[in-house]
Amino acid sequence: MSDTSTPPTRRLLLQGALAAGALGAVPGVASAAPHRPYVNPLVRNRADPHIHRHTDRQYYFTATAPEYDRIILRRSRTLRGLATAEEAVIWRKHGSGDMGAHIWAPEIHHIDGRWYIYFAAAPVDDVWKIRMWVLENPSRDPFKGTWTEKGRIVTAWDTFSLDATTFTHRGSRYLAWAQHEPGIDHNTGVFLSKMANPWTLTGPQIRLTTPEYDWERVGFKVNEGASVIRRNGRVFMTYSASATDSNYCMGLLTADADSDLMDPASWTKSPRPVFTSNDTTRQYGPGHNSFTVAEDGRTDVLVYHARQYKEISGDPLHDPNRHTRIQRLGWKSDGTPDFGIPVADGPGAGA
């Protein structure tokens, strides 16, 4: 409903204040804390981070716990506040059967008035039979209410699959995920499908990318961990490649916003990685990112994990020190994202 009691000039001033982030000048609207430099790591021992900024202007954070046994959730008015926000366990792995092992890469989304969490899990007796699953909570507050298991996301093949993410574009909801394609010599590629509802795919599923470049095939032949951001008339999809050690890095797919996203020809793949380990800043294996916006509602923020060292003893998946990090995402003059380098630990560099 429009505010017809407020003079037009006053309404324009209020709209301008909101657009500029000057919320403190508007009665009845809580003021966010002024921006301060980020401090990395943001959250320690939390990999595959996903941060959702909701319409209540709160940030909701979830990520992989290194024990691979639960789904956690934090909430804060500011990105910095997530570092010390109380952490709740909203779901635990099953003691037997499906969803009993390798609880990986949760993402939280708010769809049609309900909360959904997408995650990967495997049966207790077959821990590499990893598949994608969905939780639903109708409560306005995801820390309250009941999380219901909606079941497994069924794809064209009953094979290793994980890292589901969902987004809408031009009125359609999509799911992007990583999966092993039968008959293909790789671990996983990235696929896309439209959705009938938040837990059901509809129509065809298309392959967007498979590991073809050398930098995507170090240790393991992997494309996984997709995330989408739409800017400047284009749809950008990041993904992560190679083993989860210092070789882990990010690639980029690009499609025109007016194109048919379900046509593989609409997508262009960058031949080089866009975000990699950096010896100068001592950040290794950056990847499995998501995107959010800063408190001003305008500044794009890159969310990802990385380690502080290169040498790892044993299987990298058993090393718990992938920490959540954030930094501002820049944009080049041609309208494409400028990821820069993973910033050094401490305050200020990611601001």
Side-chain angles (χ1 to χ4, degrees):
M1 180 181 296
S2 62
D3 181 10
T4 56
S5 64
T6 304
T9 302
R10 174 61 174 159
R11 290 203 301 273
L12 289 173
L13 287 172
L14 288 174
Q15 292 166 2
L18 285 168
L23 302 179
V26 183
V29 179
S31 175
H35 174 73
R36 292 183 293 164
Y38 302 132
V39 179
N40 278 328
L42 180 69
V43 184
R44 292 182 176 273
N45 305 114
R46 294 291 179 264
D48 314 321
H50 186 259
I51 297 177
H52 166 75
R53 194 186 193 207
H54 193 43
T55 53
D56 61 3
R57 292 193 176 92
Q58 300 246 41
Y59 291 97
Y60 292 84
F61 167 87
T62 189
T64 300
E67 297 80 10
Y68 304 149
D69 63 351
R70 65 195 185 276
I71 296 176
I72 58 90
L73 192 61
R74 298 187 185 198
R75 172 172 56 195
S76 173
R77 280 278 180 186
T78 65
L79 285 166
R80 286 173 59 99
L82 290 172
T84 55
E86 183 177 356
E87 186 171 280
V89 177
I90 58 95
W91 184 88
R92 291 186 182 275
K93 69 177 184 179
H94 290 191
S96 61
D98 290 335
M99 295 185 282
H102 281 161
I103 309 305
W104 285 354
E107 288 199 3
I108 184 166
H109 296 266
H110 194 261
I111 303 169
D112 298 332
R114 293 170 180 254
W115 293 96
Y116 292 89
I117 286 181
Y118 297 82
F119 67 104
V124 172
D125 58 355
D126 192 354
V127 299
W128 292 106
K129 190 179 178 182
I130 294 172
R131 304 292 187 268
M132 301 177 293
W133 301 82
V134 184
L135 304 177
E136 179 190 68
N137 189 342
S139 174
R140 291 183 61 185
D141 184 346
F143 288 83
K144 299 177 180 179
T146 301
W147 285 96
T148 302
E149 295 169 1
K150 299 300 291 184
R152 182 167 69 89
I153 297 177
V154 178
T155 63
W157 317 293
D158 185 18
T159 60
F160 183 94
S161 54
L162 70 170
D163 296 351
T165 190
T166 185
F167 65 98
T168 58
H169 184 63
R170 299 194 179 279
S172 295
R173 178 162 295 280
Y174 296 85
L175 190 84
W177 72 97
Q179 186 164 14
H180 173 69
E181 183 176 356
I184 302 294
D185 179 27
H186 67 223
N187 295 86
T188 54
V190 174
F191 296 83
L192 185 70
S193 176
K194 288 187 177 182
M195 305 191 80
N197 58 45
W199 59 91
T200 308
L201 304 182
T202 184
Q205 65 180 51
I206 64 166
R207 182 203 310 133
L208 295 183
T209 174
T210 59
E212 56 187 304
Y213 297 114
D214 289 345
W215 54 270
E216 300 175 295
R217 300 162 68 91
V218 183
F220 294 103
K221 302 171 184 177
V222 168
N223 285 173
E224 64 181 17
S227 188
V228 170
I229 186 169
R230 297 178 298 166
R231 295 287 185 273
N232 308 320
R234 279 166 280 190
V235 180
F236 300 100
M237 181 183 292
T238 52
Y239 64 92
S240 295
S242 289
T244 55
D245 53 18
S246 62
N247 295 294
Y248 206 53
C249 60
M250 283 166 45
L252 182 67
L253 303 170
T254 304
D256 189 282
D258 293 326
S259 66
D260 177 7
L261 299 189
M262 289 301 297
D263 180 356
S266 297
W267 295 88
T268 301
K269 181 175 178 176
S270 297
R272 292 177 294 277
V274 294
F275 202 55
T276 63
S277 293
N278 190 280
D279 286 322
T280 300
T281 60
R282 300 192 59 78
Q283 301 299 313
Y284 300 101
H288 203 124
N289 79 291
S290 60
F291 298 100
T292 189
V293 293
E295 291 82 354
D296 62 10
R298 300 187 307 270
T299 304
D300 291 310
V301 176
L302 177 66
V303 185
Y304 62 99
H305 72 237
R307 289 188 180 88
Q308 296 160 307
Y309 49 85
K310 182 182 294 186
E311 300 302 324
I312 298 172
S313 298
D315 188 337
L317 288 175
H318 298 155
D319 181 292
N321 296 314
R322 293 184 291 175
H323 305 320
T324 293
R325 304 169 185 280
I326 58 175
Q327 63 192 63
R328 291 192 181 190
L329 177 68
W331 293 93
K332 300 176 183 177
S333 58
D334 64 359
T336 60
D338 185 355
F339 294 90
I341 63 172
V343 296
D345 289 346

